Amino acid sequence: AQSVTQLDSQVPVFEEAPVELRCNYSSSVSVYLFWYVQYPNQGLQLLLKYLSGSTLVKGINGFEAEFNKSQTSFHLRKPSVHISDTAEYFCAVSEHYQLIWGAGTKLIIKP
Amino acid sequence: EAGVTQFPSHSVIEKGQTVTLRCDPISGHDNLYWYRRVMGKEIKFLLHFVKESKQDESGMPNNRFLAERTGGTYSTLKVQPAELEDSGVYFCASSQLLGNEQFFGPGTRLTVL
């Protein structure tokens, strides 16, 4: 069975600094990969997804992620964070139709 | 286009009581999913409907949980009787095609005292 690892439960970063949120998954077969974001008191919102094609995927709000098959990783990056990026970020892999989730990473923006 | 809606947003009940959560998917989405996040843990899949049929309920914790989707529109998830460990946030999602992006509702936060 698939598993998704988000090693960092929290990532503090200064405003306007770059950030990388790490995600590794277990399977080496073809997968669909997703990053979802949950802003305070809101539901889950899709940030970006990798289904096939270019390994560099661009999402909303200036985020991007790179699919690395050999390292089974799908790290999320943003070159300059804003206070409004404060949220919890979830990496997920699609196994058939259900999503297998990482534990989530809380992005904490320091002014 | 209206998104996925869930009701109630919060529910606080006592152990042994019954609670029913409702999910209205995006209109036209045949696929409906329930997930749960227990405090401090990963979001876990509970079950998947295609229209009114349960395709996979392998994630349902036990027989105290009953999900229905009569008519293939909205879905309900009933917990009877509720236990303390059932506390968490219950998310519903829907998708048009299998394997496509799932659109999530805001979740129902269930607290069992």
Side-chain angles (χ1 to χ4, degrees), chain A residues 25-74:
Chain A
Y25 62 96
S26 61
S27 174
S28 60
V29 299
S30 296
V31 293
Y32 295 163
L33 293 156
F34 304 82
W35 275 98
Y36 280 84
V37 58
Q38 185 177 25
Y39 297 105
N41 301 315
Q42 294 187 30
L44 292 161
Q45 180 181 357
L46 182 68
L47 207 53
L48 50 79
K49 61 186 176 185
Y50 172 79
L51 303 181
S52 65
S54 172
T55 57
L56 184 62
V57 181
K58 293 191 183 298
I60 61 171
N61 301 338
F63 283 92
E64 63 181 33
E66 184 152 21
F67 169 60
N68 188 319
K69 189 174 181 179
S70 62
Q71 297 185 7
T72 60
S73 69
F74 191 54

Side-chain angles (χ1 to χ4, degrees), chain A residues 4 32 34 36 38 42-46 49 51 88 90 94 96-104 106, chain B residues 33 35 37 40-45 48 55-56 58 89 91 98-107:
Chain A
V4 177
Y32 295 163
F34 304 82
Y36 280 84
Q38 185 177 25
Q42 294 187 30
L44 292 161
Q45 180 181 357
L46 182 68
K49 61 186 176 185
L51 303 181
E88 191 161 18
F90 296 91
S94 177
H96 305 299
Y97 40 76
Q98 61 172 276
L99 292 174
I100 310 297
W101 300 83
K106 290 183 179 176
Chain B
Y33 315 80
Y35 294 86
R37 189 184 193 197
K41 299 201 172 177
E42 296 91 348
I43 300 170
K44 294 283 193 184
F45 167 82
H48 167 225
Q55 289 296 109
D56 181 358
S58 61
V89 181
F91 292 104
L98 208 56
N100 262 28
E101 174 186 350
Q102 296 181 21
F103 294 85
F104 282 80

Side-chain angles (χ1 to χ4, degrees), chain B residues 42-95:
Chain B
E42 296 91 348
I43 300 170
K44 294 283 193 184
F45 167 82
L46 294 178
L47 85 159
H48 167 225
F49 284 98
V50 176
K51 296 184 180 178
E52 68 276 7
S53 300
K54 290 178 191 173
Q55 289 296 109
D56 181 358
E57 51 184 334
S58 61
M60 295 285 262
N62 50 62
N63 59 11
R64 294 185 294 103
F65 288 75
L66 175 64
E68 294 181 323
R69 194 183 181 194
T70 307
T73 54
Y74 71 90
S75 174
T76 58
L77 180 64
K78 182 162 71 174
V79 186
Q80 178 182 32
E83 298 289 344
L84 299 179
E85 64 265 25
D86 300 333
S87 296
V89 181
Y90 289 76
F91 292 104
C92 175
S94 71
S95 70

